[in-house]
Amino acid sequence: MSAFKQLRDVSNNFEQQLRSLSTEFFSAKIDEPFEEVISQKLRDLNFLTSKLRLLKAKPLSALPQITEQPKSEDPIKEYGELVQWKVLEQCIVKSLTQAHSVKALITTPDRDLDPELVERKENIIQGLKAYRNTESQLRELDVILQEKENELAAVRTVWDAELHQLRELREKVDGDDCEVQGPLYKKLRTLVDKLELMRWLIGRLVTSRGSCDWLAAPDRTARLLRLARTHNTVDAFLESS
């Protein structure tokens, strides 16, 4: 009988322990999310690591090998170069990691991905298509730009050659002694004669005593008199061009 009593007591104690443990397990409350706890632990670990490095650096800086060395800017330059290489290395590693992650995400079927990852995959694919189209347009514009630059260079060469020929012809001309029989020269001569006739007519109108009061607008009268005193010649037009 004593054995049965002991077995009963053990069973009752075990049941009470199970009930208490189950109550504690199901009624447990987590004050902070697991991710925040891990982040805080990592921040504390980084802080303690930095503090440990600082504590190790202080006695090392007091060694005779360090204090007896002459101060110069070489260690600062070396440290700057080291930092640049480290930053460059981190950027390269980050870029390669992102490229690998994007490649793995794109090559994974949609059925094996979460809805958020599927949406992100579609956005990445659309961005890549837009980048591809923009790059194609840029290449086409570069080709067009190169063609236009070649055309501009050819036209500029022709322009320089013609301008050089015109300058040589102008140097060979001896004033009014040359005989020009071209149609453009004749047309220019006709226009110059008409301008001279208009200049003579303007002078007559300004100096005449008609019904128009030219003194009422002295600025206009001065401009007209200036035009009337300016002689128009073919050589003047050729030199101004």
Side-chain angles (χ1 to χ4, degrees), residues 64-76:
Q65 294 84 355
I66 304 299
T67 56
E68 293 178 359
Q69 290 183 357
K71 295 182 179 180
S72 62
E73 296 182 356
D74 293 337
I76 298 176

Side-chain angles (χ1 to χ4, degrees), residues 145-181:
L145 178 61
Q146 187 65 33
E147 293 178 355
K148 295 300 180 181
E149 287 180 352
N150 295 334
E151 293 179 0
L152 178 61
V155 172
R156 185 173 295 172
T157 303
V158 175
W159 166 261
D160 293 338
E162 292 182 355
L163 184 61
H164 182 67
Q165 292 178 0
L166 290 175
R167 287 176 179 174
E168 289 181 351
L169 290 174
R170 180 180 295 177
E171 292 177 357
K172 294 179 181 178
V173 172
D174 295 330
D176 295 332
D177 297 337
C178 64
E179 296 181 359
V180 181
Q181 301 295 333

Side-chain angles (χ1 to χ4, degrees), residues 149-235:
E149 287 180 352
N150 295 334
E151 293 179 0
L152 178 61
V155 172
R156 185 173 295 172
T157 303
V158 175
W159 166 261
D160 293 338
E162 292 182 355
L163 184 61
H164 182 67
Q165 292 178 0
L166 290 175
R167 287 176 179 174
E168 289 181 351
L169 290 174
R170 180 180 295 177
E171 292 177 357
K172 294 179 181 178
V173 172
D174 295 330
D176 295 332
D177 297 337
C178 64
E179 296 181 359
V180 181
Q181 301 295 333
L184 295 178
Y185 185 83
K186 293 180 180 179
K187 186 181 292 186
L188 180 60
R189 171 65 68 182
T190 304
L191 291 175
V192 169
D193 293 339
K194 290 181 179 180
L195 287 175
E196 282 294 306
L197 181 61
M198 292 173 63
R199 184 179 68 84
W200 176 81
L201 183 60
I202 289 172
R204 288 288 185 178
L205 290 174
V206 172
T207 57
S208 64
R209 296 180 180 180
S211 60
C212 182
D213 188 7
W214 296 99
L215 297 178
D219 295 336
R220 182 182 179 187
T221 304
R223 288 197 300 270
L224 293 174
L225 288 174
R226 192 181 302 112
L227 290 174
R229 289 195 299 269
T230 303
H231 294 277
N232 299 308
T233 59
V234 177
D235 295 336

